[in-house]
Amino acid sequence: MISPRTPSGVLELLPPEQVAFQRMLDAIRSGYERFGFLPIETPVFERSDVLLTKTGGETERQVYFVQSTGALEKARADGGDQTLPDLALRFDLTVPLARYVAEHEHQLTFPFRRYQMQRVYRGERPQRGRFREFYQCDVDIIGSGELSVRHDAEAPAIINAIFTDLAIGTFTIQINNRRLLRGFYEDLGITDAEVQAAVLREVDKLDKRGADYLRTTLTGEGFGLSEEVVERILAFVQTRSTGHDDALDRLAQVEAASSGSSALAEGVAELREVLALVRALGVPEDNYCLNFSIARGLDYYTGTVYETTLDEHPELGSICSGGRYDDLAGQYTRSRLPGVGISIGLSRLFWQLREAGLIDASAGESTVQVLVPQVDPELLDDQLALASQLRHGGINTEAVLDGGKLGKQLRYADRAGIRFVALLGAQEVADGTVTLKDLRRQDQFTVPRDEVVSALRVELAQPLV
Amino acid sequence: MISPRTPSGVLELLPPEQVAFQRMLDAIRSGYERFGFLPIETPVFERSDVLLTKTGGETERQVYFVQSTGALEKARADGGDQTLPDLALRFDLTVPLARYVAEHEHQLTFPFRRYQMQRVYRGERPQRGRFREFYQCDVDIIGSGELSVRHDAEAPAIINAIFTDLAIGTFTIQINNRRLLRGFYEDLGITDAEVQAAVLREVDKLDKRGADYLRTTLTGEGFGLSEEVVERILAFVQTRSTGHDDALDRLAQVEAASSGSSALAEGVAELREVLALVRALGVPEDNYCLNFSIARGLDYYTGTVYETTLDEHPELGSICSGGRYDDLAGQYTRSRLPGVGISIGLSRLFWQLREAGLIDASAGESTVQVLVPQVDPELLDDQLALASQLRHGGINTEAVLDGGKLGKQLRYADRAGIRFVALLGAQEVADGTVTLKDLRRQDQFTVPRDEVVSALRVELAQPLV
């Protein structure tokens, strides 16, 4: 007898939680499709040489390699073989997207608008809230040669639509621009890209270590910045706009304080255009702001960058991030493929929301909408015909086939989150009716048999308050 | 520069095909949910000791092992290490289901009705139509201790509902019963289970090798059956009922010819009950038949077994199969968990349908329902507000942000399978209207701006003939 255990570091859900998770996946997919994105899926594994083209980042150290039984045996028989296995599990959806676009470039239409919602794999040390397998839900717009900055306004509009639908609380989409960052530091005389990156890494510790740590570090050896410069940096990175007009004012101030960096001017112009279109796309101004501390992946993003936080739960960190990049697939093709995209790490988000008590899956609704209990074994054919009628009407229906006391069947429906029970006893069969019990509203009513589907549709369409 | 290539043996789709594939996945999922099944998902990898409990089948020879970079380096440094890697990719959804049910047994409600639609992995030699990664769409009902044979009637009802929805042609669900098979061979004096299995394996070659091969083999050394017995076997396995009453007649004939096997009597009784309930569940009698040649997995299924074939394309083989088993998870738990289930191998089915010309994804509809072209760059804000209005109304909408000639934008919509174009020029803005072009019907009409969502909903709800 083998003990049945899931591997460590995965999020396996019981059915009520899986239903809640699936509803979130569906809401995200529906949001991506509403904005005109097309689905793609890629294989869980890629060729190792294709996946591992960049050298030695932390993520690539965590890759999982895949070997068939035959390949494993061969590698072991040939003990000196130190070549990498042929296949490896994807560690994100960006590298597979780059491979996909480069491979199928001539069969795609640009700008290529794709979404992809699949699991990715990282051989991390297991710890609370860190998963070795987790869903990413990505959306990207890829241009061929060029892509207007207008598309950068779509990401906040998508985030706004999806997180409004998900109804997990108010949120703020924080927007910044890497060009503006670069220009700001150039203006301060910090022109070297590596020094800029080092400063940004320190600035990123502001929340954790505090302003004094930053003052000491940046004025100390290694950086040697003046106190005045450090105060300007601190004021800059603590900028958060409080509305659309305030955001425009902040940009005007940054521009006015500039000693003429063209990168800063470009960043400001891009942010102005993005903000204008975000408003035109109907995003409420309470839901977005400028935040000059956002930098994201330093070696990848080049323009607009985004993070999203829950207003009531800032401790969850960013729940949806992304940005603009200059070139998606330089390692695979000579074509320049600029793009902009965002990603939702749904497994982690779901786990965080559950931990924070914002999802109570045990109290949720089942995917099953109606239970047809076995009232009388003699009426089995009628019971099954009713179940078929409901299913044919598009209503998710479970029919009890194992019998048992009616009270127990009703308790099962209640515990399982099945809202309606459709009772068919001898009286109902004689009358040509069905008795419907609404377990949520604790209500009961009898309808003619041929109206049962439309009656349930009306009930199911009304939101429970 | 690395050449971007997918690994061999996977089915990677371009967006129009992915949309068609996703529609099939959605139809299957919707079918499973209509019959009251709950979703589960399991990790792509299982612990090797949990996955590989049974010894040495062909499938287990094809397993893919998974190792993190660290584990791989450690195994290589320690050259003598011949233990199996800790993790392996699932090769089907049955073993993960068994592990899931055994692990979470006390948190599940029985009968446990679950569906699961995920990819599985087999390190097969690549060949046309054989995939190393493919979707399985499984549905199972698991009892705790016992499960009424009535549930065996649900499988044909589900198959009927889903393949009717998929609309890939007429189909026949072929039903048999392993107990009836066992009893039939017992009646012929073939009582040894291994000899029975050997006979069944030969009988399975009937279509390929023909009746004469079977006569020679079964009367020859090794089997030594009489000619009369072989003729009875041939007549039996060629039985196909031609309607509900004919199926009942066939069962009566088999029963009458029996020399008293209790297994045969049980099999006949089970099939009678299943057939009666399949009819009660509204499955048209043209869509199911008895086929006494169906055996399925010899060491797993114990009662009712199913295969499904497309009437116009029998060469595709079974497109949905399954059956009843006595014990799901004997390797993981002492609880007896009988069940019944079916599986659709969607990647292979999709590939077969495409090869047979039954899916023409290139002519399909996009998930994008409306394109809002850029008629005039000056009207960008109006264009975006219209796109937002449509999206808010639940309509999948792409807005052109890169400009270009209107004719080119319309041709893009047409080629991409986007049915509607919503035009907003200076005239429309002045009039408070939108001009809608239906590219499929080659029709055009103007509607008030505040009625555009409802007008499109009406159009989209009408099927194109």
Side-chain angles (χ1 to χ4, degrees):
Chain A
M1 194 79 70
I2 304 284
S3 165
R5 291 153 300 150
T6 42
S8 58
V10 303
L11 183 71
E12 181 166 271
L13 303 173
L14 290 168
E17 294 179 321
Q18 188 71 49
V19 169
F21 189 87
Q22 187 66 48
R23 291 217 165 105
M24 293 183 77
L25 273 179
D26 288 345
I28 295 169
R29 181 175 145 198
S30 159
Y32 288 165
E33 292 196 348
R34 274 205 313 286
F35 278 80
F37 290 83
L38 298 171
I40 74 164
E41 292 192 342
T42 62
V44 77
F45 41 56
E46 296 279 346
R47 303 171 71 106
S48 300
D49 61 334
V50 170
L51 195 64
L52 304 173
T53 55
K54 293 177 185 167
T55 38
E58 174 65 13
T59 307
E60 301 207 359
R61 288 284 309 156
Q62 298 174 339
V63 78
Y64 277 115
F65 289 101
V66 176
Q67 283 176 294
S68 66
T69 310
L72 181 72
E73 284 168 358
K74 191 168 167 302
R76 286 180 167 188
D78 176 10
D81 180 12
Q82 297 293 318
T83 56
L84 284 184
D86 289 342
L87 299 173
L89 300 183
R90 59 175 169 241
F91 51 79
D92 68 10
L93 300 179
T94 302
V95 177
L97 172 65
R99 193 269 306 148
Y100 183 98
V101 174
E103 183 173 352
H104 306 299
E105 192 179 342
H106 301 294
Q107 294 151 283
L108 301 175
T109 310
F110 293 89
F112 177 49
R113 303 168 68 86
R114 88 84 175 80
Y115 75 86
Q116 186 172 1
M117 299 168 54
Q118 294 191 282
R119 296 173 184 223
V120 305
Y121 298 87
R122 295 188 191 170
E124 299 209 55
R125 214 175 278 277
Q127 48 179 309
R128 276 179 61 77
R130 284 275 170 193
F131 297 104
R132 290 173 163 181
E133 176 189 57
F134 55 95
Y135 266 100
Q136 284 198 336
C137 306
D138 281 21
V139 70
D140 286 86
I141 308 156
I142 315 292
S144 179
E146 56 181 357
L147 182 74
S148 155
V149 71
R150 292 170 180 173
H151 290 285
D152 294 21
E154 294 198 84
I158 297 165
I159 296 171
N160 180 65
I162 287 175
F163 284 95
T164 299
D165 281 359
L166 288 176
I168 53 175
T170 58
F171 54 88
T172 303
I173 305 158
Q174 319 205 19
I175 307 177
N176 198 10
N177 186 293
R178 294 272 301 141
R179 263 183 261 281
L180 178 144
L181 278 191
R182 182 154 58 84
F184 173 79
Y185 288 104
E186 279 174 11
D187 273 344
L188 295 180
I190 308 167
T191 50
D192 183 85
E194 281 184 32
V195 178
Q196 272 193 17
V199 172
L200 282 168
R201 271 193 296 275
E202 294 303 326
V203 166
D204 210 36
K205 298 176 189 160
L206 180 61
D207 284 350
K208 233 182 274 174
R209 302 274 187 100
D212 282 343
Y213 164 84
L214 214 61
R215 283 189 188 97
T216 311
T217 308
L218 293 182
T219 55
E221 289 185 75
F223 290 103
L225 301 179
S226 72
E227 282 183 27
E228 187 226 326
V229 163
V230 174
E231 292 309 320
R232 282 185 64 185
I233 292 175
L234 277 171
F236 178 74
V237 300
Q238 291 180 56
T239 303
R240 308 284 183 278
S241 65
T242 57
H244 191 84
D245 291 339
D246 184 54
L248 296 180
D249 286 348
R250 305 278 181 160
L251 288 179
Q253 286 161 26
V254 166
E255 202 170 31
S258 167
S259 47
S261 155
S262 62
L264 184 135
E266 285 167 32
V268 167
E270 288 186 358
L271 279 174
R272 280 208 183 99
E273 185 159 5
V274 169
L275 288 170
L277 297 185
V278 165
R279 178 153 72 173
L281 280 163
V283 181
E285 64 179 331
D286 282 353
N287 293 0
Y288 60 92
C289 76
L290 285 182
N291 177 344
F292 292 146
S293 77
I294 310 280
R296 305 300 308 161
L298 294 181
D299 50 355
Y300 188 57
Y301 294 117
T302 51
T304 319
V305 285
Y306 322 92
E307 291 192 355
T308 312
T309 47
L310 289 179
D311 298 340
E312 313 280 316
H313 292 275
E315 76 280 6
L316 301 192
S318 178
I319 57 175
C320 178
S321 312
R324 155 72 70 148
Y325 38 90
D326 269 350
D327 197 9
L328 174 71
Q331 68 273 42
Y332 304 128
T333 172
R334 286 184 212 289
S335 307
R336 196 164 157 272
L337 301 168
V340 58
I342 51 171
S343 181
I344 302 172
L346 190 62
S347 300
R348 183 167 162 78
L349 176 60
F350 184 86
W351 182 87
Q352 287 176 317
L353 293 172
R354 197 176 63 177
E355 291 289 304
L358 297 177
I359 290 180
D360 183 6
S362 63
E365 291 269 299
S366 173
T367 45
V368 183
Q369 297 167 311
V370 181
L371 186 78
V372 184
Q374 197 176 85
V375 178
D376 177 349
E378 294 296 309
L379 301 173
L380 182 59
D381 279 11
D382 294 283
Q383 183 202 354
L384 294 186
L386 173 61
S388 295
Q389 183 187 352
L390 293 169
R391 289 164 181 159
H392 204 74
I395 292 169
N396 296 344
T397 305
E398 176 179 349
V400 177
L401 298 183
D402 294 303
K405 288 196 177 140
L406 185 59
K408 202 179 148 205
Q409 297 181 49
L410 296 182
R411 278 195 300 281
Y412 158 71
D414 194 38
R415 271 204 318 275
I418 302 172
R419 183 170 155 198
F420 289 97
V421 174
L423 289 164
L424 199 64
Q427 190 62 51
E428 281 88 357
V429 170
D431 296 348
T433 59
V434 179
T435 297
L436 294 173
K437 285 175 95 75
D438 182 339
L439 300 181
R440 284 296 163 282
R441 292 190 203 271
Q442 306 212 329
D443 192 10
Q444 175 169 330
F445 47 99
T446 298
V447 297
R449 176 73 181 269
D450 58 5
E451 290 171 20
V452 64
V453 167
S454 51
L456 277 168
R457 278 193 186 153
V458 168
E459 294 292 324
L460 287 164
Q462 287 168 6
L464 278 167
V465 189
Chain B
M1 193 80 68
I2 304 284
S3 165
R5 291 153 300 149
T6 41
S8 58
V10 303
L11 183 70
E12 181 167 272
L13 303 173
L14 290 168
E17 294 179 320
Q18 187 70 47
V19 169
F21 189 88
Q22 187 64 48
R23 292 217 165 104
M24 293 182 77
L25 273 178
D26 287 345
I28 295 169
R29 180 175 145 199
S30 159
Y32 288 164
E33 292 196 347
R34 270 200 321 281
F35 278 80
F37 290 84
L38 298 172
I40 73 165
E41 291 192 342
T42 61
V44 78
F45 41 56
E46 296 279 346
R47 302 171 72 106
S48 300
D49 61 334
V50 170
L51 195 66
L52 304 172
T53 57
K54 294 174 183 168
T55 38
E58 173 66 13
T59 306
E60 302 208 359
R61 287 284 308 156
Q62 297 174 338
V63 78
Y64 277 115
F65 290 100
V66 175
Q67 283 175 295
S68 66
T69 311
L72 181 73
E73 282 169 359
K74 191 169 168 303
R76 286 181 167 187
D78 176 11
D81 180 12
Q82 296 294 315
T83 57
L84 285 184
D86 289 341
L87 300 173
L89 300 183
R90 61 177 168 240
F91 50 80
D92 67 11
L93 300 179
T94 302
V95 176
L97 171 66
R99 193 268 307 149
Y100 183 99
V101 175
E103 182 173 351
H104 306 297
E105 192 179 342
H106 301 294
Q107 294 150 283
L108 300 175
T109 309
F110 293 90
F112 177 49
R113 303 167 68 85
R114 88 84 175 79
Y115 74 88
Q116 186 172 1
M117 299 168 56
Q118 294 190 281
R119 297 173 184 221
V120 305
Y121 298 87
R122 295 187 191 171
E124 298 210 56
R125 214 176 278 278
Q127 48 179 306
R128 276 179 61 78
R130 285 274 170 195
F131 297 105
R132 291 173 162 180
E133 176 188 56
F134 55 96
Y135 265 100
Q136 284 198 336
C137 306
D138 281 21
V139 70
D140 286 85
I141 307 156
I142 315 291
S144 177
E146 56 182 358
L147 182 75
S148 157
V149 71
R150 292 169 178 171
H151 291 284
D152 295 21
E154 295 197 84
I158 297 165
I159 296 171
N160 179 65
I162 287 175
F163 284 94
T164 300
D165 282 358
L166 287 177
I168 52 175
T170 60
F171 54 89
T172 304
I173 304 157
Q174 320 206 19
I175 307 177
N176 198 9
N177 186 293
R178 294 272 301 140
R179 263 182 261 280
L180 178 144
L181 278 190
R182 181 152 61 84
F184 172 79
Y185 288 104
E186 279 173 10
D187 274 345
L188 294 179
I190 307 167
T191 51
D192 183 85
E194 281 183 31
V195 178
Q196 272 193 17
V199 172
L200 283 169
R201 272 193 295 276
E202 294 302 326
V203 166
D204 210 36
K205 299 176 189 161
L206 179 61
D207 284 350
K208 231 182 278 176
R209 303 275 188 99
D212 283 343
Y213 163 84
L214 214 61
R215 285 189 187 98
T216 312
T217 306
L218 294 180
T219 57
E221 288 186 77
F223 291 102
L225 301 178
S226 72
E227 282 183 26
E228 186 225 330
V229 163
V230 174
E231 292 310 319
R232 281 185 62 187
I233 293 175
L234 278 171
F236 177 74
V237 300
Q238 291 180 52
T239 303
R240 308 284 184 276
S241 65
T242 57
H244 191 86
D245 291 340
D246 184 56
L248 296 179
D249 287 348
R250 305 280 182 157
L251 287 179
Q253 286 161 26
V254 165
E255 201 169 34
S258 168
S259 48
S261 156
S262 62
L264 184 136
E266 286 168 31
V268 167
E270 288 186 357
L271 280 174
R272 280 207 182 101
E273 185 159 3
V274 169
L275 288 170
L277 297 185
V278 165
R279 177 152 72 173
L281 281 163
V283 182
E285 64 179 334
D286 283 352
N287 292 1
Y288 60 92
C289 76
L290 286 181
N291 177 344
F292 292 147
S293 77
I294 308 281
R296 305 301 309 161
L298 293 181
D299 51 355
Y300 187 59
Y301 295 118
T302 52
T304 319
V305 284
Y306 322 92
E307 291 191 354
T308 311
T309 47
L310 289 180
D311 297 341
E312 313 281 316
H313 292 276
E315 76 280 4
L316 301 193
S318 179
I319 57 174
C320 177
S321 312
R324 155 72 70 146
Y325 39 89
D326 269 350
D327 197 9
L328 174 71
Q331 68 272 41
Y332 304 127
T333 171
R334 287 182 212 290
S335 306
R336 199 166 155 270
L337 301 168
V340 59
I342 50 170
S343 181
I344 303 172
L346 190 62
S347 301
R348 184 168 162 76
L349 176 60
F350 184 86
W351 182 87
Q352 287 177 316
L353 293 172
R354 196 177 63 176
E355 291 289 303
L358 297 177
I359 290 179
D360 183 5
S362 62
E365 290 269 300
S366 174
T367 45
V368 183
Q369 297 169 311
V370 181
L371 186 78
V372 183
Q374 196 177 86
V375 179
D376 177 349
E378 294 295 309
L379 300 172
L380 182 60
D381 279 9
D382 293 284
Q383 182 203 354
L384 293 187
L386 173 60
S388 296
Q389 182 187 355
L390 292 169
R391 289 164 180 159
H392 204 74
I395 292 169
N396 295 344
T397 305
E398 177 178 348
V400 177
L401 298 184
D402 294 303
K405 287 194 178 143
L406 185 59
K408 202 179 149 207
Q409 297 181 50
L410 296 181
R411 277 196 300 283
Y412 158 71
D414 195 37
R415 272 204 319 274
I418 303 172
R419 184 170 154 196
F420 289 97
V421 174
L423 289 164
L424 198 64
Q427 190 62 53
E428 282 88 357
V429 171
D431 296 348
T433 60
V434 179
T435 297
L436 294 173
K437 285 176 94 75
D438 182 339
L439 300 181
R440 286 293 163 286
R441 292 192 203 269
Q442 305 211 331
D443 194 9
Q444 175 169 328
F445 46 100
T446 297
V447 296
R449 176 73 182 269
D450 58 5
E451 290 171 20
V452 64
V453 167
S454 52
L456 278 168
R457 279 193 186 153
V458 168
E459 295 292 324
L460 288 164
Q462 287 169 6
L464 280 168
V465 190

